Amino acid sequence: MNIPYSRQYIDEDDEQAVLDVLRSDYLTTGPKIAEFEKIVADYVGAKYAVAVASGTAALHVSCLAAGIKKGDEVITTPITFAASSNCVLYCDAKVVFADINPITYNIDPTDIRRKITDKTKAIIPVHFTGQPCEMDEIHDIAQEHDLIVLEDAAHALGADYKGRKIGGLSDLTTFSFHPVKHITTGEGGMITTNDKTLYEKLLLLRTHGITKDPSLLKKNEGGWYYEQLELGFNYRITDIQCALGISQMKKIDRFIARRREIAKRYDDAFADLDGVMIPIQLEGCNNSYHLYVVQMEDIVRKDAFNELRTAGIGVNVHYIPVYKHPYYQKNGYQDIYCANAENLYNKMISLPIYPGLTKEEQEYVIEQITRVF
Ligand SMILES: *Cc1c(COP(=O)(O)O)cnc(C)c1O
């Protein structure tokens, strides 16, 4: 057996969609981009969507559109992929880590409150594993202190918070389409928003800050004319990628149903297993299970990890608290300590979960986990 922790699901329709674009006039900046954006915007219930080259690019342009700059502070969780906080550093701003809630593993609104200063500009909640953060509490805090909320929903395409999909709730929400995520475009990302001004800034930042839109030009010297209004990037996504994304979105409901089915199977199998703690479902929320994370006593975690890897199961640890990385340690974050995050890091292990994981493979994972205990 050789079971990864996650894997893309590509079928013949996906292959055909990509081939069709390769045989068309536009490989990039053609019709597939707007089509993909509309599908994702409609799916998550947002007015606008901007597709970009990666989830990291989505975070970066979102921070810029939100006006985050030198001297600002942005609060996020340490239990995330480094991109959630690197995007703040790209803007020369300071990351402030708020600890997690030990039950949900997500950023703790109480600790967000403690970390607010008069320099705080934004909050970046990360829906870790696909479990929504406590968004009502986070929005209350943001409103009281006039902060931007930028959700990193790289794990949470398809997750519901109190009957609404993640993606239409805050100022800005970002998604990733890396192959381990819910749908893939190879590399790719998207920002969703309901705010027209932010939307227009994102469009500019995606392509060098350059526009031909007559309503935005300072003057107009002729049909060839364009202007650079901001310092933007080439963060464009290709039509090839968007065609794959469109085709993948046709399967999103099935993908998520499969992930939830597998999570339920693991929940049932491990509920009574001593020494293993299964994830807890938040009332009123519906996890879309990018990851399935269990906790075990830290004395057994390392051995369990090694034994499971030897047995061909691609278990993983998501994540090392971001501030513990050498780059952060040598750049001013050496005194940060988030007790709940460190405790979770010492105990957590991610099990394989993806749509193509067969019944037999699930059985094997369950059998091996049970054996290791
Ligand atoms: C995957 C991921 C990202 C980055 O997305 P890329 O598309 O790989 O750039 C950001 N944040 C989190 C939480 C992620 O899991």
Side-chain angles (χ1 to χ4, degrees):
M1 287 270 187
N2 191 359
I3 307 173
Y5 87 88
S6 189
R7 191 179 197 289
Q8 70 275 15
Y9 184 94
I10 301 288
D11 62 17
E12 282 178 17
D13 293 337
D14 296 328
E15 292 170 7
Q16 191 57 51
V18 170
L19 259 182
D20 290 346
V21 171
L22 287 174
R23 289 167 178 163
S24 77
D25 290 338
Y26 291 100
L27 298 188
T28 190
T29 319
K32 293 296 172 193
I33 296 176
E35 191 184 334
F36 183 40
E37 287 170 342
K38 173 136 187 16
I39 289 169
V40 174
D42 289 349
Y43 177 74
V44 303
K47 272 200 197 134
Y48 308 102
V50 178
V52 291
S54 69
T56 305
L59 285 163
H60 185 193
V61 289
S62 293
C63 285
L64 290 170
I68 292 163
K69 58 183 188 316
K70 196 175 170 91
D72 292 339
E73 294 179 0
V74 177
I75 301 175
T76 192
T77 171
I79 296 294
T80 186
F81 183 58
S84 315
S85 64
N86 287 347
C87 59
V88 175
L89 303 184
Y90 296 160
C91 300
D92 276 331
K94 182 180 163 195
V95 184
V96 174
F97 292 99
D99 205 352
I100 57 161
N101 172 320
I103 307 291
T104 65
Y105 311 161
N106 276 328
I107 193 164
D108 179 0
T110 315
D111 206 39
I112 294 177
R113 273 189 194 283
R114 278 189 215 111
K115 300 280 161 74
I116 285 181
T117 72
D118 52 11
K119 291 181 179 160
T120 310
K121 180 88 184 226
I123 307 169
I124 305 183
V126 181
H127 309 294
F128 177 64
T129 75
Q131 167 116 282
C133 293
E134 294 166 74
M135 292 314 301
D136 284 346
E137 290 76 0
I138 292 171
H139 285 146
D140 285 347
I141 297 169
Q143 203 152 31
E144 280 168 40
H145 298 273
D146 195 21
L147 309 175
I148 296 265
V149 177
L150 159 52
E151 296 175 48
D152 181 346
H155 295 190
L157 184 63
D160 313 296
Y161 178 77
K162 300 190 177 171
R164 291 168 68 193
K165 283 233 158 51
I166 294 294
L169 307 177
S170 295
D171 301 297
L172 295 149
T173 304
T174 64
F175 296 94
S176 162
F177 309 126
H178 180 277
V180 298
K181 308 287 163 68
H182 295 87
I183 64 156
T184 190
T185 58
E187 296 280 0
M190 183 114 41
I191 310 104
T192 56
T193 181
N194 293 316
D195 183 314
K196 189 152 184 274
T197 309
L198 288 173
Y199 170 64
E200 286 171 349
K201 273 192 200 162
L202 294 168
L203 289 178
L204 272 178
L205 291 164
R206 172 172 70 182
T207 35
H208 309 280
I210 285 175
T211 186
K212 288 188 92 162
D213 181 346
S215 70
L216 296 176
L217 295 177
K218 305 289 174 234
K219 55 181 181 179
N220 197 342
E221 297 179 355
W224 67 88
Y225 193 70
Y226 61 85
E227 284 176 343
Q228 182 184 338
L229 303 174
E230 306 263 349
L231 185 61
F233 303 85
N234 177 357
Y235 276 169
R236 290 188 302 264
I237 190 168
T238 64
D239 274 51
I240 306 166
Q241 292 167 302
C242 289
L244 178 54
I246 293 164
S247 178
Q248 289 263 299
M249 278 304 286
K250 294 184 179 146
K251 299 182 270 279
I252 184 72
D253 289 337
R254 257 202 293 146
F255 284 169
I256 289 170
R258 280 289 288 165
R259 285 176 179 274
R260 288 183 176 144
E261 217 175 273
I262 295 165
K264 174 79 172 58
R265 189 115 190 269
Y266 285 160
D267 281 349
D268 292 345
F270 306 139
D272 298 325
L273 195 58
D274 266 356
V276 173
M277 198 174 126
I278 60 172
I280 283 153
Q281 275 276 6
L282 266 189
E283 188 72 21
C285 294
N286 216 345
N287 192 331
S288 60
Y289 288 107
H290 161 56
L291 299 174
Y292 186 91
V293 169
V294 293
Q295 285 191 70
M296 46 186 69
E297 279 313 311
D298 45 354
I299 18 167
V300 297
R301 200 266 304 263
K302 194 166 191 174
D303 291 339
F305 180 93
N306 290 334
E307 278 196 52
L308 292 166
R309 278 283 177 98
T310 305
I313 300 174
V315 285
N316 231 314
V317 173
H318 299 95
Y319 292 96
I320 302 157
V322 174
Y323 58 80
K324 290 174 73 101
H325 286 293
Y327 180 83
Y328 279 82
Q329 289 289 303
K330 67 175 198 276
N331 284 287
Y333 296 86
Q334 66 282 353
D335 296 328
I336 309 296
Y337 180 79
C338 295
N340 296 335
E342 303 245 347
N343 185 51
L344 178 65
Y345 168 59
N346 288 331
K347 296 180 173 180
M348 59 158 80
I349 200 163
S350 305
L351 306 185
I353 189 163
Y354 51 92
L357 189 70
T358 65
K359 280 247 151 63
E360 295 70 45
E361 288 167 334
Q362 294 165 41
E363 206 66 63
Y364 181 71
V365 173
I366 291 168
E367 188 190 294
Q368 291 299 314
I369 295 277
T370 314
R371 176 182 67 83
V372 166
F373 282 89

